[in-house]
Amino acid sequence: EAGVTQSPRYAVLQEGQAVSFWCDPISGHDTLYWYQQPRDQGPQLLVYFRDEAVIDNSQLPSDRFSAVRPKGTNSTLKIQSAKQGDTATYLCASSFGLFYEQYFGPGTRLTVL
Amino acid sequence: DAKTTQPDSMESTEGETVHLPCSHATISGNEYIYWYRQVPLQGPEYVTHGLQQNTTNSMAFLAIASDRKSSTLILPHVSLRDAAVYHCILRVNTEGADRLTFGKGTQLIIQP
């Protein structure tokens, strides 16, 4: 069974550029989570979906961050006008439903210069 | 505002049994105790979880204090592959509030 896949694995940007991260959850998992993990810290939840609906996006840092999951399967997290403070690993996780175990992808390591 | 306290690091030797402590003095009755572990360049991996009773699976044994204010993850016969950051997390079971709040965790170092 394939795990959670993410792309790209790495991204390097200049400040002000935009970037998108893509996540393909485990087949059959209706709940999808995006986390931000700065270097030497634990992951922090940004947003999560059940099917295509946003359940909680209150932790998205600012209007520069947006996330969609239009068909309730794959998801995209986008950062408009990236800043150096956005440098982190962005992790996607999926689960069979709320409160089930979350399975994480390998993450996308973003560096903003 | 992490609700759990863990040592920054612990060290052990291959073949030994490791006890990873976690303090959660303000745990609520509806909060589950979850453990995840993470190695560099990978996402966290689920280890185990419990509410009140001790639990065991192929990876670890979770011992929960009777007052639920602390727990210990026990890893038997560790190998080099068990070297990771181990996160102790409280997860509330409330509709619309499914959130894993990670702290820095405990860096487990395994010597050959």
Side-chain angles (χ1 to χ4, degrees):
Chain A
E1 177 183 306
V4 176
T5 56
Q6 293 186 245
S7 64
R9 291 296 312 274
Y10 302 90
V12 180
L13 308 174
Q14 298 289 333
E15 274 200 323
Q17 290 185 303
V19 63
S20 292
F21 310 128
W22 180 81
C23 173
D24 187 6
I26 293 172
S27 177
H29 283 193
D30 67 358
T31 308
L32 184 146
Y33 309 78
W34 283 102
Y35 288 81
Q36 179 191 58
Q37 184 173 21
R39 186 178 177 84
D40 297 329
Q41 296 185 33
Q44 303 300 315
L45 181 68
L46 295 175
V47 58
Y48 69 100
F49 300 83
R50 188 163 195 181
D51 298 318
E52 67 277 6
V54 174
I55 302 300
D56 183 358
N57 63 0
S58 63
Q59 302 303 308
L60 282 175
S62 71
D63 291 344
R64 296 184 298 105
F65 285 71
S66 63
V68 295
R69 192 185 185 200
K71 297 183 179 180
T73 53
N74 302 335
S75 177
T76 302
L77 175 69
K78 183 174 183 178
I79 305 176
Q80 306 250 15
S81 189
K83 299 183 177 182
Q84 288 187 354
D86 299 331
T87 293
T89 296
Y90 291 84
L91 295 160
C92 177
S94 71
S95 70
F96 186 70
L98 290 176
F99 314 119
Y100 283 81
E101 295 89 83
Q102 294 182 22
Y103 294 84
F104 284 78
T108 297
R109 297 189 74 179
L110 173 67
T111 301
V112 184
L113 302 174
Chain B
D1 57 345
K3 296 180 66 176
T4 62
T5 302
Q6 300 177 253
D8 288 341
S9 66
M10 293 184 65
E11 191 167 323
S12 185
T13 305
E14 274 194 299
E16 293 189 343
T17 296
V18 173
H19 292 72
L20 297 173
C22 181
S23 172
H24 26 81
T26 59
I27 190 170
S28 301
N30 63 352
E31 286 184 309
Y32 286 74
I33 302 157
Y34 272 73
W35 285 82
Y36 278 77
R37 69 181 185 182
Q38 187 175 19
V39 298
L41 302 180
Q42 292 187 26
E45 175 188 25
Y46 168 81
V47 177
T48 190
H49 76 280
L51 180 63
Q52 195 159 8
Q53 304 296 321
N54 297 338
T55 63
T56 188
N57 62 21
S58 60
M59 294 179 71
F61 179 81
L62 176 60
I64 301 174
S66 56
D67 64 3
R68 299 205 331 122
K69 293 187 176 185
S70 66
S71 59
T72 302
L73 184 71
I74 301 170
L75 305 174
H77 310 299
V78 294
S79 70
L80 295 177
R81 289 179 294 178
D82 293 314
V85 175
Y86 285 79
H87 295 277
C88 171
I89 302 154
L90 301 184
R91 189 177 192 184
V92 64
N93 188 0
T94 303
E95 182 64 31
D98 181 17
R99 179 178 302 171
L100 296 178
T101 302
F102 288 82
K104 288 191 175 183
T106 296
Q107 175 74 61
L108 177 61
I109 300 165
I110 306 295
Q111 300 290 352

